[in-house]
Amino acid sequence: MEDTRTFLEVKEYPDTEVQKNQVLTLEEWQEKWVSRKIGFHQEQGHQLLKKHLDTFLKGENGLRVFFPLCGKAVEMKWFADLGHSVVGVEISELGIREFFTEQNLSYSEEPMMEIPGAKVFKSSSGNISLYCCNLFDLPRANIGKFDRIWDRGALVAVNPGDRACYADIMLSLTRKGFQYLLAVLSYDPTKHAGPPFYVPDAEVKKLFGSKCNIHCLEKVDVFEERHKSWGIDYIVEKLYLCTGK
């Protein structure tokens, strides 16, 4: 146990700029879905979210919950089943369709007038709406404000050079009393170019600290066999809860 605790307190990599010029195009993300390179998808949902769900929801009902870069996250169905309203954004139409199919949900689709080429997919029950578009175009559509944001596989997937813009959009979507749950990853970025990209503590504070109180809820060793192919020998997931100042 002592070894694990020491391991999780491993110092952050000093050169936080090493990945700053890394860029993935939207087409490359779409291709990941086509070629099934979706190791980021968690079929059983996110274990830390399950563990801290009560802290996140605070026993409140009828919340609006936003999922940036949602993919086909099963947690969207969890929140909808609890009576909350879920909105997600995802560039892959394939990922969105798979979500509805795999969750046995009927849905409709319609074009988004504000964003040429974009679509919105809505569950027949009306409590899940998934926008298929570039997240950075989303401010052009009026999707309202949110009580909760679950950011897993989103900030770590955004090109590092776009993070400030991304954080501004996320914070613009929050309403008074919001809770923003953020999962990031820590590893040696000189050994793996990303994505997922390395996001140090200082970056979280820089992006959200001016408007949020930031509390690290937990750090967990999430190293798996597949990570060896990345050339790394450790990877730690950190869960932050950001609340309005």
Side-chain angles (χ1 to χ4, degrees), residues 66-71 76 87-92 96 129-136 138 143 170:
F66 184 59
F67 279 67
L69 310 188
C70 60
M76 295 191 286
V87 174
V89 62
E90 168 58 49
I91 193 60
S92 171
I96 290 175
S129 298
L130 305 184
Y131 291 84
C132 186
C133 66
N134 182 346
L135 181 141
F136 294 101
L138 204 57
I143 64 168
M170 290 302 103

Side-chain angles (χ1 to χ4, degrees), residues 14 17 29 53 58 63 67 77-78 85 93 108-111 140 169 178 199 203 233-234 237 242:
E17 299 285 288
W29 278 111
L53 193 60
K58 289 170 54 181
L63 297 170
F67 279 67
K77 179 73 160 41
W78 296 357
S85 177
E93 185 172 319
S108 61
E109 60 181 277
E110 56 190 65
R140 290 156 58 184
I169 292 174
F178 74 89
V199 181
E203 183 86 354
D233 54 12
Y234 76 90
E237 186 167 43
C242 305

Side-chain angles (χ1 to χ4, degrees), residues 5 15 25 39 49 69 74 76 96 102 110 115-116 136 145 156 158-159 177 188-189 197 209 217 228:
R5 192 178 308 121
D15 183 5
T25 65
L49 177 61
L69 310 188
V74 300
M76 295 191 286
I96 290 175
E102 291 173 11
E110 56 190 65
I115 306 172
F136 294 101
K145 305 278 188 182
V156 298
V158 170
N159 293 328
D188 183 343
F197 298 109
L217 296 179
K228 289 181 180 176

Side-chain angles (χ1 to χ4, degrees), residues 182-194:
L182 168 67
V184 300
L185 297 168
S186 185
Y187 60 85
D188 183 343
T190 64
K191 294 181 177 177
H192 178 58

Side-chain angles (χ1 to χ4, degrees), residues 130-168:
L130 305 184
Y131 291 84
C132 186
C133 66
N134 182 346
L135 181 141
F136 294 101
D137 288 334
L138 204 57
R140 290 156 58 184
N142 180 22
I143 64 168
K145 305 278 188 182
F146 295 89
D147 306 290
R148 301 289 186 272
I149 296 178
W150 169 227
D151 187 325
R152 181 262 156 190
L155 178 61
V156 298
V158 170
N159 293 328
D162 295 331
R163 283 176 185 161
C165 181
Y166 171 86
D168 286 346

Side-chain angles (χ1 to χ4, degrees), residues 67-114:
F67 279 67
L69 310 188
C70 60
K72 56 178 180 178
V74 300
E75 299 95 321
M76 295 191 286
K77 179 73 160 41
W78 296 357
F79 285 114
D81 287 346
L82 289 170
H84 304 296
S85 177
V86 172
V87 174
V89 62
E90 168 58 49
I91 193 60
S92 171
E93 185 172 319
L94 180 59
I96 290 175
R97 292 186 185 279
E98 286 182 8
F99 168 76
F100 287 109
T101 301
E102 291 173 11
Q103 299 300 329
N104 295 310
L105 296 171
S106 57
Y107 64 94
S108 61
E109 60 181 277
E110 56 190 65
M112 292 176 66
M113 294 303 137
E114 306 93 333

